[in-house]
Amino acid sequence: MAVPKKKTSKGKRNQRHATWKSKAAIAAEKALSIGKSVLTGRAQGFVYPMNETEEESD
């Protein structure tokens, strides 16, 4: 027969939650950094088109 598993402790639950939150915070910080570098024009890690149609029409 199926037997219920042991209850997860509050400490273990909080540890899992803290890990998830820290990963999300790191990802958000990287995204913000990439966004700032794109806006300043200093991005080197990827190709990003910068309004090429406006420059051609002038």
Side-chain angles (χ1 to χ4, degrees), residues 14-25:
N14 292 343
Q15 184 179 18
R16 259 198 328 269
H17 185 73
T19 302
W20 184 85
K21 291 284 263 188
S22 68
K23 285 182 181 180

Side-chain angles (χ1 to χ4, degrees), residues 18-36:
T19 302
W20 184 85
K21 291 284 263 188
S22 68
K23 285 182 181 180
I26 291 169
E29 189 176 346
K30 283 183 182 179
L32 187 62
S33 175
I34 290 172
K36 285 180 180 179

Side-chain angles (χ1 to χ4, degrees), residues 1-5:
M1 290 188 73
V3 179
K5 295 180 179 165

Side-chain angles (χ1 to χ4, degrees), residues 5 7 16 18-19 28 30 35-37 43-44 52 55 58:
K5 295 180 179 165
K7 182 179 178 181
R16 259 198 328 269
T19 302
K30 283 183 182 179
K36 285 180 180 179
S37 67
Q44 297 175 350
E52 294 174 2
E55 293 175 3
D58 288 334

Side-chain angles (χ1 to χ4, degrees), residues 38 47-52:
V38 166
V47 178
Y48 185 79
M50 296 294 289
N51 298 335
E52 294 174 2

